[in-house]
Amino acid sequence: MQVLRPESEAEAAALIAEAAANNRTLSIEGGGSKRHLGRLTTPSAVLKLDALREIVSYEPEELVITVRAGTPLAEVEAALAERNQCFGFEPASWSFEPAAAAATIGGTIAAGAAGSRRVVLGGARDHLIGFRAVNGAGEIFKAGGKVVKNVTGYDLPKLAAGSFGTLFTMTELTLRTYPRAATSLTLAVENLDVDSGCALMRRAVGSRFEATGFCYLPRVAIERLGLRQASSLTLIRFEGDAESTDARAHACGETLAVPFATVQHDDTWRLVQQLKSLQASQVLWRLSVPPTAAVGAIAALRPECFVVDWAGGLLWVEPGSASPRDVHAVARQFGGHATLFRGSDDLRRGDVFQPLDAVTAALTKRLKAAFDPHGVLNPGRMYDGV
Amino acid sequence: MPEPKADVFARRSALVEALARLVPEGVVADQDALAAYDCDALTAYRQKPLAVVLPTTADEVSAVLALCHREKVRVVPRGAGTSLSGGALPLSDGILLGLSRMSRIKEIDLENRCAVVEPGVTNLAITKAVEGQGFYYAPDPSSQIACSIGGNVAENSGGIHCLKYGLTTNNLLGVELALMTGERIRIGGKAMEAGGLDLLGLVTGSEGLLGVVTEVTVRLLPKPEVALASLVGFPSIETAGQCVSAIISAGIIPAAMEIMDRFTIDAVESYCAPGYPRDAAAILILEVDGIAGDVSRLLTLVEGIARKVGATSFVTSTDERERQRIWLGRKAAFAASGRIAPDMLCMDGTIPRRELPRVLSRIGEMSKDCGLPVANVFHAGDGNLHPLIMFDVMKEGDLDKAEKLGADILKLCVEAGGVLTGEHGVGIEKRDLMPLMFAEGDLAQQERVKCAFDPDALLNPGKVFPSLSACVEGGAMHVHQGRIPFPNLPRL
Ligand SMILES: Cc1cc2nc3c(=O)[nH]c(=O)nc-3n(C[C@H](O)[C@H](O)[C@H](O)COP(=O)(O)OP(=O)(O)OC[C@H]3O[C@@H](n4cnc5c(N)ncnc54)[C@H](O)[C@@H]3O)c2cc1C
């Protein structure tokens, strides 16, 4: 397929305007690491943004960084680390083997790829504070600002995060940064059934110890990771300086009144982010549900393997025989939504994202038209006609 | 404001009757009674609405909107009317839709750390309902006893604790939204993420232009074990600002950091005597929360930083009573300043913190030049300034001078790399200043979003955007009707 690689924002705008004028459609791509996400589409060409690669400005004291959309995430994170900072939402790399191309910052935000820390510090949406973009008519516009507190005009950055490139093509992003913790200490509890594991995480997240990660791995997941012998692992993570994490982890463990061990710099969090225990999954679903619904949703789906994150709010599920319709029905029944994360081309032609009710679907289409009237940008990637 | 529709005035009594059928006991049409609704907290602008409707259920809200949609009648939503930007200013030919009677807390679900409430519930009532069990709702605007959660969603309100805990938008899980047609949609719920496009994020802070919030699901947080406040005195406002930057550079994000200048200190001392240092040119109030050990270690670090940049005093609360006392003066700053002059304009720009010294001294010069005193009290951690301009409406020319000064201050904020509003919203107050921050194309894109929700421009028109745009079918295009360039129209 033809790959267009603009070297500047103006060039990107010209290419999109040209596509709009010629009734062509574009697949918007950063590094291409999330190509497997979303519905299968048949664009006329790929608009690849990896040449827009630059850290435009970085002011650690202001907790703000501005980068071009195609800058590799790793490069941005390295720059932050140099000044003892990071992204609060813990960008998730969600990589599938063989190692895919490097994720860019634009793609990471457009996919709303937040990790375990999302449960306390918010998602990609909460950390994007401004951007520049090209809409589907090829017009350049900006939204938001470059300061952390701003309510001037509609909060389009929220809309950008998780829109999978279907509304506009971001060319420059301004993000909020966060102090990087000196260390992390994980409180590990073994052998709880999923019900008790989730209940424990809910108690921990509602406690005063400011943990920044809550995940549960059943035996299958542990075995696939080649970790220790246990029928399950419930992990609660504390970040900060050594004295603080130590005090909080132990006080939390004692409050929860369960036998626990503590692990310094537990690598399991990285493995969870990278979906390492789910690499073999031919079909993988991601469900966002109210924490108390986690156990019910898992039981209803009878998965081969699953991982619970966000204290029960996020489920990664490799379903046995459940069809997309079943998974979406379960997600709805339990008050959440489900997204197909990995699946055959055939599955990806159907509903990948949770189907919308009629009024919301119509509104979503009107919003699409407000940004991309000719349907040039990633048409159909989220929903048919969007 | 948009040209009133003459035909709507002609149909007024029929409309009032139709509304009364939909919301029995909930329609105010008497001219004297309407006066109570003629403004929000931006009192310089007043306008009586055609009628006020006070529904008690979401179905009634839908019915009123559907009627107005059919009849092409404009609607202005209103919560508690504490907006400082004129967002709830009525239209002469429009219905004022008051949500204050929808004030039930529907559900408290501590296992999922959330509460489901009607839009008229006050901000503070949510915390009051859950604090017994050790939880609270984090965003805490100073108006929290009065302002409604629906208004908070519409304005994306902040508070002194949003440095660490975020604005309203970072603390919501879901809303039910009535569109102008009366149709209602649920966006999100008790799950951490809603499916589809992030409509929740878009609607939050949309100032009542996109839909009427009929239910809100807020995220609750466990109350920290300990919260201590420190009162730090500085020889100048610049050093106070440097201290804030130094704390953040050290990787510390306190729960709150507020700066107050000499003028404000004097005002609050004579108002409620919180015991602020009389010799300091500026004070920084900071709060640190967490578990006890962390709090005391952080405070030691912070004190070291403060002394190093030149703090002249550093006092930390030892109990809850002292903490409240330290905050007392900050919370009373608005009321205390209000005693000094008959009228006040509260500005709300945000700037990058490094620009603080330059911007503050420039504001001082501008204040001298025009002869109106300005008090500075602000959310220092995130650079959100609240210059309070003192004036007297009864004095010939004072209001114009105050508005001009306000506009100049906001212009300065934007030039310094900041924004027009950090938490109070654009409303009508900053509407005509929008072109300072956004190019025509940027605004046109935002207005097309409005068209996608409300193509007939019936919902709170005339707010936020300097021009009224006509939507073309499908929301795809729009036509400008004489955009007014800023310099000719110092509306603020
Ligand atoms: C003394 C004082 C102190 C303040 N301190 C702060 C502060 O610290 N931080 C801060 O951020 N703000 C502050 N404010 C501003 C104000 O309180 C907030 O903007 C508040 O959120 C407004 O809520 P309200 O219920 O009064 O809304 P209103 O003033 O009634 O309305 C505000 C806007 O929201 C819309 N609206 C209201 N309800 C709904 C609904 N249900 N659905 C859709 N749209 C709706 C209205 O149309 C209007 O545009 C302060 C105000 C005062 C007077």
Side-chain angles (χ1 to χ4, degrees):
Chain A
M1 193 182 309
Q2 188 189 8
V3 177
L4 307 168
R5 280 180 109 171
E7 304 258 334
S8 67
E9 178 181 77
E11 224 176 285
L15 289 167
I16 292 172
E18 196 183 309
N22 294 301
N23 270 330
R24 283 155 59 90
T25 60
L26 298 171
S27 169
I28 312 303
E29 210 172 274
S33 71
K34 294 176 180 64
R35 215 172 275 159
H36 63 282
L37 282 182
R39 297 175 72 242
L40 200 67
T41 58
T42 46
S44 332
V46 174
L47 185 73
K48 201 162 172 63
L49 295 155
D50 57 354
L52 301 184
R53 177 174 177 167
E54 187 192 0
I55 294 178
V56 180
S57 67
Y58 174 29
E59 290 166 89
E61 325 77 54
E62 306 288 340
L63 303 175
V64 167
I65 190 167
T66 298
V67 291
R68 298 233 191 275
T71 315
L73 175 63
E75 203 170 301
V76 186
E77 290 194 297
L80 298 182
E82 243 173 64
R83 303 299 300 267
N84 254 324
Q85 293 194 334
C86 64
F87 285 128
F89 66 100
E90 200 176 4
S93 42
W94 293 339
S95 54
F96 287 103
E97 259 123 40
T104 61
I105 187 71
T108 301
I109 298 295
S116 300
R117 224 187 271 131
R118 193 218 186 292
V119 65
V120 274
L121 287 185
R125 72 187 290 274
D126 298 288
H127 296 260
L128 180 70
I129 58 179
F131 65 82
R132 292 179 61 87
V134 181
N135 68 16
E139 297 161 347
I140 296 168
F141 71 98
K142 66 171 182 306
K146 293 192 175 185
V147 288
V148 295
K149 198 170 174 197
N150 174 21
V151 297
T152 321
Y154 296 132
D155 195 349
L156 299 185
K158 294 278 177 306
L159 196 56
S163 64
F164 286 89
T166 56
L167 300 178
F168 41 80
T169 300
M170 283 186 279
T171 54
E172 183 186 289
L173 297 83
T174 297
L175 294 128
R176 190 184 173 133
T177 65
Y178 198 76
R180 194 174 141 93
T183 186
S184 104
L185 190 66
T186 296
L187 184 157
V189 182
E190 293 187 350
N191 305 331
L192 297 177
D193 59 32
V194 62
D195 211 340
S196 325
C198 286
L200 193 80
M201 292 192 289
R202 288 199 304 275
R203 280 173 58 207
V205 83
S207 77
R208 302 166 160 189
F209 304 111
E210 299 188 286
T212 60
F214 310 82
C215 76
Y216 176 91
L217 306 171
R219 184 196 296 276
V220 220
I222 300 172
E223 278 169 359
R224 289 188 187 173
L225 292 176
L227 297 177
R228 69 196 107 168
Q229 290 286 319
S231 70
S232 80
L233 268 180
T234 308
L235 303 177
I236 301 170
R237 178 180 62 183
F238 298 85
E239 294 177 293
D241 60 36
E243 211 172 322
S244 166
T245 51
D246 204 51
R248 285 184 287 137
H250 284 93
C252 182
E254 271 145 40
T255 306
L256 296 174
V258 281
F260 64 91
T262 53
V263 189
Q264 193 111 34
H265 291 296
D266 190 344
D267 197 37
T268 318
W269 297 100
R270 184 182 59 85
L271 304 179
V272 167
Q273 254 38 271
Q274 296 182 349
L275 307 176
K276 281 285 186 254
S277 58
L278 301 158
Q279 294 291 326
S281 314
Q282 290 311 306
V283 180
L284 179 65
W285 286 87
R286 179 180 189 263
L287 280 79
S288 171
V289 292
T292 51
V295 175
I298 292 168
L301 291 169
R302 290 198 259 142
E304 305 268 333
C305 185
F306 65 90
V307 172
V308 182
D309 203 345
W310 302 354
L314 179 69
L315 310 177
W316 294 101
V317 177
E318 190 184 315
S321 52
S323 69
R325 188 189 293 257
D326 298 336
V327 181
H328 282 135
V330 166
R332 181 175 314 107
Q333 182 198 336
F334 286 94
H337 70 97
T339 309
L340 178 71
F341 228 68
R342 196 177 207 193
S344 64
D345 286 358
D346 224 27
L347 283 181
R348 289 182 59 207
R349 284 190 192 97
D351 286 332
V352 164
F353 294 87
Q354 186 80 27
L356 303 170
D357 65 85
V359 180
T360 308
L363 179 61
T364 300
K365 281 188 183 165
R366 293 198 300 273
L367 262 177
K368 164 78 169 178
F371 287 97
D372 180 17
H374 314 293
V376 175
L377 310 172
N378 278 352
R381 182 92 181 246
M382 289 186 84
Y383 304 100
D384 199 22
V386 170
Chain B
M1 301 310 283
E3 188 68 35
K5 301 181 179 184
D7 67 302
V8 174
F9 293 119
R11 286 180 284 140
R12 180 171 189 267
S13 58
L15 265 170
V16 167
E17 258 171 52
L19 288 167
R21 272 194 299 275
L22 299 175
V23 189
E25 325 267 306
V27 178
V28 181
D30 174 74
Q31 287 304 327
D32 290 340
L34 284 179
Y37 296 91
D38 71 354
C39 69
D40 54 24
L42 184 73
T43 50
Y45 294 86
R46 289 174 191 268
Q47 172 62 57
K48 277 190 218 169
L50 198 67
V52 175
V53 189
L54 302 165
T56 51
T57 66
D59 284 342
E60 286 179 356
V61 172
S62 284
V64 169
L65 289 172
L67 171 77
C68 291
H69 184 246
R70 248 190 342 266
E71 299 288 327
K72 299 286 171 268
V73 174
R74 292 167 174 149
V75 176
V76 176
R78 173 183 166 113
T82 68
S83 166
L84 291 168
S85 54
L89 179 74
L91 294 168
S92 60
D93 62 340
I95 299 301
L96 189 70
L97 182 60
L99 285 308
S100 56
R101 286 191 185 171
M102 292 179 66
S103 57
R104 262 185 334 129
I105 294 182
K106 290 177 147 178
E107 189 191 352
I108 290 169
D109 179 354
L110 295 180
E111 277 247 66
N112 286 313
R113 292 189 305 139
C114 65
V116 184
V117 303
E118 289 185 340
V121 170
T122 62
N123 173 293
L124 191 62
I126 300 175
T127 290
K128 288 280 174 220
V130 296
E131 68 184 356
Q133 287 104 303
F135 286 84
Y136 73 113
Y137 173 62
D140 54 348
S142 315
S143 52
Q144 68 181 154
I145 340 173
C147 64
S148 73
I149 190 70
N152 290 176
V153 173
E155 298 284 15
N156 188 13
S157 300
I160 48 181
H161 288 97
C162 59
L163 176 61
K164 180 169 174 186
Y165 296 105
L167 295 153
T168 303
T169 189
N170 311 108
N171 289 278
L172 296 179
L173 292 173
V175 294
E176 183 190 66
L177 188 77
L179 303 178
M180 189 59 219
T181 52
E183 297 163 299
R184 293 207 301 281
I185 57 173
R186 296 207 146 262
I187 311 173
K190 291 182 180 178
M192 209 155 296
E193 283 182 351
L197 294 175
D198 190 352
L199 300 179
L200 180 59
L202 177 62
V203 163
T204 308
S206 63
E207 304 196 23
L209 268 69
L210 301 183
V212 176
V213 176
T214 51
E215 184 192 283
V216 187
T217 304
V218 299
R219 186 169 79 119
L220 300 173
L221 294 182
K223 246 170 102 176
E225 183 176 290
V226 179
L228 293 180
S230 297
L231 182 61
V232 196
F234 288 95
S236 68
I237 202 153
E238 288 79 15
T239 45
Q242 277 162 18
C243 182
V244 170
S245 287
I247 290 170
I248 288 178
S249 294
I252 301 169
I253 311 258
M257 287 201 272
E258 299 286 311
I259 289 180
M260 225 185 248
D261 68 2
R262 183 72 252 165
F263 189 99
T264 318
I265 299 172
D266 286 338
V268 297
E269 276 302 323
S270 43
Y271 182 73
C272 60
Y276 291 165
R278 283 283 185 181
D279 58 340
I283 56 166
L284 167 67
I285 299 176
L286 63 89
E287 184 159 298
V288 176
D289 64 9
I291 61 164
D294 279 5
V295 169
S296 66
R297 268 179 316 109
L298 278 183
L299 280 173
T300 311
L301 283 176
V302 166
E303 177 162 5
I305 294 169
R307 297 268 183 213
K308 214 164 131 193
V309 300
T312 47
S313 60
F314 193 106
V315 185
T316 298
S317 62
T318 53
D319 58 25
E320 184 55 21
R321 206 181 48 84
E322 277 179 31
R323 186 183 78 93
Q324 296 289 358
R325 198 176 131 93
I326 289 179
W327 279 117
L328 179 70
R330 170 61 184 88
K331 291 192 171 159
F334 208 80
S337 308
R339 280 236 190 136
I340 292 179
D343 296 284
M344 218 165 49
L345 263 187
C346 175
M347 308 316 294
D348 176 44
T350 304
I351 55 167
R353 253 180 294 96
R354 67 177 133 73
E355 293 282 356
L356 215 54
R358 188 175 72 85
V359 168
L360 288 178
S361 68
R362 185 74 196 104
I363 291 177
E365 288 163 22
M366 284 160 36
S367 154
K368 270 210 199 82
D369 288 351
C370 78
L372 295 180
V374 175
N376 279 295
V377 38
F378 54 95
H379 308 304
D382 32 40
N384 185 193
L385 304 182
H386 285 328
L388 298 172
I389 303 171
M390 324 262 162
F391 66 102
D392 182 354
V393 154
M394 305 314 266
K395 245 199 222 153
E396 178 77 33
D398 244 25
L399 176 61
D400 287 347
K401 264 204 276 180
E403 294 196 327
K404 165 103 174 45
L405 176 59
D408 287 343
I409 289 175
L410 293 183
K411 203 169 173 184
L412 178 66
C413 290
V414 173
E415 277 165 11
V419 299
L420 292 173
T421 169
E423 57 178 15
H424 294 167
V426 176
I428 50 159
E429 187 207 23
K430 286 159 278 224
R431 182 189 71 185
D432 297 329
L433 300 176
M434 286 290 270
L436 286 179
M437 222 179 115
F438 295 111
E440 191 159 331
D442 306 335
L443 289 172
Q445 185 58 73
Q446 296 200 36
E447 287 170 83
R448 285 196 289 266
V449 169
K450 165 76 170 163
C451 292
F453 279 79
D454 174 26
D456 301 325
L458 294 174
L459 203 51
N460 217 3
K463 315 289 169 67
V464 183
F465 299 107
S467 71
L468 260 194
S469 62
C471 303
V472 166
E473 192 59 32
M477 304 217 320
H478 96 153
V479 183
H480 293 290
Q481 293 184 342
R483 185 178 298 283
I484 310 146
F486 156 71
N488 310 339
L489 231 208
R491 245 327 268 271
L492 186 126

